Amino acid sequence: MANSNSGQPQFIASTGNRSFSNAPLIQNADTDQIVVPDRKSWKNLFAYMGPGFLVSIAYIDPGNFETDLQSGAQYKYELLWIILVASCAALVIQSLAANLGVVTGKHLAEHCRAEYPRGPNFILWVLAEIAIVACDIPEVIGTAFALNMLFNIPVWIGVLLTGLSTLVLLALQQYGVRKLEFFITFLVLTIAGCFFAELTYAKPVASEVLKGLFVPQLKGNGATGLAISLLGAMVMPHNLFLHSALVLSRKIPRSVRGIKEACRFYMIESGFALMVAFLINISVISVSGAVCKSSNLNEEDKASCEDLDLNKASFLLRNVLGSWSSKLFAIALLASGQSSTITGTYAGQYVMQGFLDLRLTPWLRNFLTRCLAIVPSLIVAVIGGSAGAGRLIIIASMILSFELPFALIPLLKFTSSKTKMGIHVNSLVVMLVTFLMYWLSHWKTVSVVFLGIFGFSGVAIYLAAIAYLVFRPNKEATHLLALTTPGNGDMANDPGNTSIDCLPREDIVSMQLPQRRQTQDID
């Protein structure tokens, strides 16, 4: 794939070889690479900073805000435990995704293409694309709500205007993707700071918050569906593909110590980023619960709490922001949706390249995904208005929750395979703990939701597909980048060994946008 944007085709097909080339990939400095020094120092952590924070954006997108607000308004603090379980599971899962990319030099979608026959591989690709579209729906609706609050534009017109956000995003990226991400993160953290400040006014009872965090409970008819939506909004399938690919943009020392350090620092970075996202989600639920369940709530705010969505949530910040609450909340919501668009674009590129060995240019990939998300959003916005659009966000989050096993199980199988991971293979405990965390927050899903929506045949197909992924033995051996014995740790530097990759992966780096013209060296 050419590094120059000029003259680059919109659709690129590789040679069609299903096996991945292990030849050295970085031969020039015309890519956005970050070189990790070959030294033992905590300062190396700064070289690994980036992928975890980019992934964490998906944990504070408009879908998360919507489910958090409804959770607090309807059930106060009773569903906080879902956020805790999902955040702990997310840390384990995202770390596994990063480890898979670091150790093997391939991301998750590439492993699926190499491991599974064409039929199952195609189905997994379709499911991954559906997950990306389902993730884009909250971004479309969130942006439409933001435009409504800022300019009084009807929601359905705002949905149409979101199709232009791709062009706006690309226009801003000429200043550099890192500057854009810092600006967006600043806006999102600003609204998070407002919710933290609002906590001092709402004064949630600490004992009730702790009970909600550590005592699992699902009371009420709608609690199960909302709990599933919370899980889907927190742990998104496309994030697993994204994280395993983003780590390939670093040029790390190819030694046992270097790879162990990379895995450790990526986990630390992910933990810090996910902790920030966890605190933001907890604060949103706590503020929503404390305000909407307050005994001295006026009639107007009480009506808003009964049918709370992103379009009405700005009143929660009135104590902090006053009359500016609506405008500033809308700006942060707009920033949240656009930052999530970046992660969706990256994930879509990696999924298509990995499963099908095909690539689209970023703007075209983003535009196609956005069009698929606009269609259901527009229909619901026209028919159901803002309330219907808000419910569509919940449905989209539920879809993400149901699709999670089809990305999670391959990840667990691959990272538990000694032929792929060598000495960095997962322990059985990690696999069991991950499954326990997932099913702890999913324990009523099959019995309540699936039996009610799909019936017995749907449950059977769903469970059969999961069983196939779980029990199918791994057949594809990976050329290990981390060797099985510490004594062989210097083999990666052997110029005659052509089976060892030289990271960063040029094809991964070149898919990130925009591209810079210099190599970054982290001292």
Side-chain angles (χ1 to χ4, degrees), residues 433-511:
V433 168
T434 305
F435 270 116
L436 177 63
M437 287 180 176
Y438 175 75
W439 289 112
L440 177 62
S441 54
H442 237 66
W443 64 283
K444 282 193 175 183
T445 301
V446 174
S447 61
V448 177
V449 180
F450 275 163
L451 287 176
I453 298 178
F454 297 108
F456 177 78
S457 59
V459 174
I461 295 174
Y462 182 81
L463 295 181
I466 292 179
Y468 172 81
L469 296 176
V470 170
F471 296 109
R472 183 186 184 278
N474 290 328
K475 295 182 179 179
E476 182 74 18
T478 301
H479 293 287
L480 293 177
L481 301 179
L483 302 167
T484 55
T485 59
N488 295 331
D490 295 330
M491 256 181 83
N493 299 319
D494 183 1
N497 188 358
T498 59
S499 66
I500 303 298
D501 283 344
C502 178
L503 296 184
R505 284 266 303 278
E506 186 180 33
D507 57 336
I508 296 299
V509 174
S510 63
M511 277 195 286

Side-chain angles (χ1 to χ4, degrees), residues 79 90 112 135 138 155 171-172 208 231 264 266-267 291 307 316 330 344 364 408 452 456 474:
L79 299 182
C112 290
C135 177
V155 174
L172 291 175
E208 294 182 4
L231 177 68
R264 181 173 68 255
Y266 275 130
M267 183 177 68
V291 172
D307 191 18
L316 297 173
L364 183 58
L408 176 59
F456 177 78
N474 290 328

Side-chain angles (χ1 to χ4, degrees), residues 323-521:
S323 60
W324 283 90
S325 61
S326 176
K327 303 300 181 185
L328 293 181
F329 181 80
I331 292 174
L333 187 59
L334 186 64
S336 175
Q338 294 308 301
S339 60
S340 298
T341 297
I342 297 177
T343 63
T345 301
Y346 286 172
Q349 290 177 277
Y350 300 143
V351 162
M352 180 169 286
Q353 174 265 328
F355 279 109
L356 303 182
D357 211 7
L358 300 173
R359 299 183 183 94
L360 293 176
T361 53
W363 73 267
L364 183 58
R365 168 74 220 192
N366 183 288
F367 187 74
L368 290 176
T369 302
R370 180 54 53 93
C371 288
L372 291 175
I374 282 177
V375 172
S377 303
L378 180 62
I379 294 174
V380 172
V382 171
I383 297 176
S386 61
R391 284 191 289 270
L392 182 60
I393 293 180
I394 302 298
I395 295 174
S397 298
M398 293 176 69
I399 293 174
L400 292 171
S401 181
F402 294 142
E403 289 203 10
L404 181 59
F406 297 100
L408 176 59
I409 292 174
L411 174 65
L412 293 175
K413 290 288 294 292
F414 298 153
T415 54
S416 300
S417 171
K418 194 172 182 63
T419 61
K420 294 181 181 295
M421 299 292 289
I423 60 175
H424 304 280
V425 65
N426 271 349
S427 66
L428 182 62
V429 174
V430 172
M431 193 168 183
L432 292 177
V433 168
T434 305
F435 270 116
L436 177 63
M437 287 180 176
Y438 175 75
W439 289 112
L440 177 62
S441 54
H442 237 66
W443 64 283
K444 282 193 175 183
T445 301
V446 174
S447 61
V448 177
V449 180
F450 275 163
L451 287 176
I453 298 178
F454 297 108
F456 177 78
S457 59
V459 174
I461 295 174
Y462 182 81
L463 295 181
I466 292 179
Y468 172 81
L469 296 176
V470 170
F471 296 109
R472 183 186 184 278
N474 290 328
K475 295 182 179 179
E476 182 74 18
T478 301
H479 293 287
L480 293 177
L481 301 179
L483 302 167
T484 55
T485 59
N488 295 331
D490 295 330
M491 256 181 83
N493 299 319
D494 183 1
N497 188 358
T498 59
S499 66
I500 303 298
D501 283 344
C502 178
L503 296 184
R505 284 266 303 278
E506 186 180 33
D507 57 336
I508 296 299
V509 174
S510 63
M511 277 195 286
Q512 300 180 29
L513 50 153
Q515 297 168 15
R516 295 200 299 244
R517 296 291 177 178
Q518 69 274 3
T519 300
Q520 294 185 5
D521 231 336

Side-chain angles (χ1 to χ4, degrees), residues 31-345:
T31 52
D32 185 15
Q33 60 174 300
I34 297 177
V35 179
V36 180
D38 190 6
R39 67 188 181 193
K40 189 175 182 180
S41 171
W42 64 269
K43 294 180 180 180
N44 287 357
L45 174 62
F46 296 105
Y48 295 103
M49 301 290 281
F53 282 92
L54 187 60
V55 168
S56 70
I57 291 174
Y59 293 82
I60 49 175
D61 71 348
N64 288 98
F65 285 147
E66 175 75 21
T67 53
D68 290 347
L69 291 169
Q70 292 200 15
S71 173
Q74 296 180 32
Y75 302 100
K76 205 173 182 179
Y77 317 124
E78 293 180 6
L79 299 182
L80 285 175
W81 66 277
I82 294 288
I83 302 296
L84 178 61
V85 171
S87 297
C88 293
L91 176 59
V92 176
I93 293 169
Q94 297 294 165
S95 298
L96 294 181
N99 292 351
L100 181 67
V102 168
V103 174
T104 67
K106 295 183 183 181
H107 57 78
L108 179 57
E110 290 175 328
H111 277 288
C112 290
R113 186 179 82 243
E115 182 68 33
Y116 297 113
R118 292 186 182 275
N121 180 73
F122 181 78
I123 293 174
L124 288 175
W125 169 70
V126 171
L127 291 173
E129 294 288 359
I130 292 174
I132 293 173
V133 173
C135 177
D136 203 45
I137 287 176
E139 297 161 15
V140 168
I141 297 176
T143 301
F145 282 159
L147 294 175
N148 176 263
M149 285 184 277
L150 287 171
F151 308 110
N152 294 321
I153 296 175
V155 174
W156 69 271
I157 295 180
V159 167
L160 289 175
L161 292 177
T162 57
L164 300 176
S165 65
T166 300
L167 302 178
V168 175
L169 186 63
L170 292 177
L172 291 175
Q173 283 181 338
Q174 63 180 320
Y175 300 105
V177 69
R178 292 186 184 276
K179 293 180 181 178
L180 176 63
E181 289 171 359
F182 283 139
F183 176 68
I184 290 173
T185 302
F186 170 76
L187 292 176
V188 174
L189 292 179
T190 297
I191 204 67
C194 293
F195 274 105
F196 292 153
E198 179 69 15
L199 286 174
T200 61
Y201 290 91
K203 293 182 172 55
V205 181
S207 59
E208 294 182 4
V209 172
L210 291 176
K211 180 181 178 181
L213 277 172
F214 296 105
V215 179
Q217 51 185 324
L218 290 174
K219 299 178 181 178
N221 295 330
T224 299
L226 193 52
I228 295 170
S229 300
L230 282 171
L231 177 68
M234 287 292 293
V235 187
M236 298 184 180
H238 76 281
N239 259 2
L240 307 186
F241 298 103
L242 177 65
H243 205 172
S244 64
L246 288 175
V247 297
L248 299 178
S249 63
R250 265 61 175 175
K251 186 175 183 179
I252 67 174
R254 303 314 302 173
S255 63
V256 172
R257 180 192 59 79
I259 292 174
K260 284 184 177 179
E261 179 187 78
C263 294
R264 181 173 68 255
F265 281 149
Y266 275 130
M267 183 177 68
I268 293 173
E269 184 227 7
S270 298
F272 182 76
L274 292 177
M275 174 61 72
V276 174
F278 169 76
L279 293 176
I280 291 175
N281 283 286
I282 291 297
S283 68
V284 173
I285 292 178
S286 298
V287 168
S288 177
V291 172
C292 290
K293 298 298 181 180
S294 174
S295 58
N296 57 356
L297 201 65
N298 60 52
E299 292 300 324
E300 180 182 355
D301 291 345
K302 188 178 297 183
S304 298
C305 285
E306 290 177 357
D307 191 18
L308 185 62
D309 58 31
L310 292 173
N311 213 22
K312 306 174 183 176
S314 60
F315 81 92
L316 297 173
L317 304 178
R318 195 175 298 148
N319 289 330
V320 179
L321 302 176
S323 60
W324 283 90
S325 61
S326 176
K327 303 300 181 185
L328 293 181
F329 181 80
I331 292 174
L333 187 59
L334 186 64
S336 175
Q338 294 308 301
S339 60
S340 298
T341 297
I342 297 177
T343 63
T345 301

